[in-house]
């Protein structure tokens, strides 16, 4: 999550407001491709007689490019400019830790923090309990779980591919409202699933 948040900051600093939504949408797609990869690997791992815990080894692969690129990836222009301003005394060197929680940002921080808490509560609940439910309650096989994950992931790719364009076309608030409503409806369908083929 730390890397995810750093990625968002870099995108927001490097892209103009006009193209920021599309950039963020494409950035989100990378996570979906990771989920797609796991969905493909799960039945292969189980057929080889290995534990699903082997998938955690694949989770360590991103450490390779991080290690190789840690000194080559440049800082963003916005960060470098901020450092220069601090050195020249244009901006104070000490940042106000509670600054984002003061006017004029307070309203946005409060609302978005509340939305984010409940949104992630739902997202993590859905992700964490989907496999548990379908395996323990619906007796899905690893192949069924894999098909379910692949279907979710492909659907997610289509939705996320539209996210960026939607944000740039109709605005951030309207796009977020649509995305959250669609996500809530999909979560309800997921947990009212009776068997592999019927809701």
């Amino acid at each position: 999550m730390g890397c995810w948040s750093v990625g968002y900051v870099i995108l927001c600093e490097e892209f103009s407001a006009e193209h920021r939504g599309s950039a963020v949408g494409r950035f989100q797609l990378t996570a979906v491709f990771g989920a797609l990869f796991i969905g493909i690997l799960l039945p292969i791992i189980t057929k080889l007689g290995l534990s699903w815990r082997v998938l955690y080894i694949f989770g360590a692969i991103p450490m390779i490019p991080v290690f190789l690129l840690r000194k080559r990836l440049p800082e963003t222009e916005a960060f470098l400019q901020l450092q220069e301003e601090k050195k020249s005394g244009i901006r104070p060197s000490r940042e106000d830790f509670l600054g984002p929680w003061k006017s004029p940002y307070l309203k946005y921080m409060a609302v978005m923090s509340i939305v984010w808490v409940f949104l992630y509560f739902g997202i993590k609940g859905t992700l964490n309990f989907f496999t548990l439910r379908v395996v323990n309650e619906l007796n899905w096989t690893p192949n069924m779980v894999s098909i379910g994950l692949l279907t979710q992931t492909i659907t997610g790719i289509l939705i996320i591919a539209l996210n960026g364009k939607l944000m740039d076309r109709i605005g951030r608030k309207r796009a977020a409202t649509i995305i959250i409503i669609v996500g809530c409806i999909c979560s309800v369908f997921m947990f009212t699933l009776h068997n592999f083929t019927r809701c």
Side-chain angles (χ1 to χ4, degrees):
M1 290 309 298
C3 292
W4 189 258
S5 62
V6 168
Y8 273 118
V9 170
I10 290 172
L11 286 175
C12 290
E13 289 185 351
E14 288 294 292
F15 285 86
S16 65
E18 183 184 0
H19 302 292
R20 198 170 292 148
S22 297
V24 168
R26 290 171 189 166
F27 176 64
Q28 288 174 321
L29 277 176
T30 60
V32 178
F33 285 123
L36 185 66
F37 186 53
I38 291 297
I40 293 167
L41 283 177
L42 178 62
I44 297 170
I45 295 294
T46 53
K47 280 181 182 176
L48 292 173
L50 301 169
S51 168
W52 58 268
R53 291 175 177 84
V54 171
L55 294 173
Y56 281 110
I57 294 170
F58 291 96
I61 290 174
M63 289 303 298
I64 297 169
V66 166
F67 179 78
L68 294 174
L69 297 173
R70 70 190 191 282
K71 291 184 179 177
R72 297 180 187 174
L73 187 67
E75 287 289 354
T76 64
E77 287 297 321
F79 178 80
L80 293 174
Q81 184 179 348
L82 179 65
Q83 296 303 106
E84 286 297 319
E85 288 176 0
K86 283 181 179 179
K87 284 179 186 175
S88 62
I90 296 173
R91 293 194 185 198
S93 57
R94 290 186 63 188
E95 296 291 339
D96 183 2
F97 180 76
L98 297 175
W101 289 97
K102 294 177 181 176
S103 182
Y105 313 110
L106 177 60
K107 178 174 70 173
Y108 292 102
M109 282 294 293
V111 171
M112 288 312 302
S113 294
I114 291 167
V115 168
W116 199 243
V117 165
F118 285 102
L119 188 64
Y120 237 76
F121 184 84
I123 289 171
K124 292 303 286 181
T126 302
L127 292 175
N128 292 348
F129 296 117
F130 168 73
T131 306
L132 187 69
R133 179 172 185 267
V134 296
V135 170
N136 292 348
E137 294 181 11
L138 304 180
N139 301 312
W140 283 19
T141 64
N143 282 343
M144 289 176 173
V145 173
S146 181
I147 291 168
L149 291 173
L150 289 173
T151 304
Q152 289 174 11
T153 304
I154 290 167
T155 305
I157 287 172
L158 296 174
I159 292 171
I160 290 171
L162 294 173
N163 280 359
K165 289 183 179 178
L166 204 62
M167 284 190 284
D168 289 337
R169 284 237 175 111
I170 66 171
R172 276 51 164 164
K173 291 190 287 185
R174 286 181 183 174
T177 302
I178 292 168
I179 294 161
I180 290 169
I181 289 170
V182 169
C184 289
I185 291 169
C186 290
S187 293
V188 169
F189 278 133
M190 186 182 298
F191 286 99
T192 54
L193 189 73
H194 297 297
N195 58 45
F196 184 63
T197 57
R198 181 169 61 88
C199 284

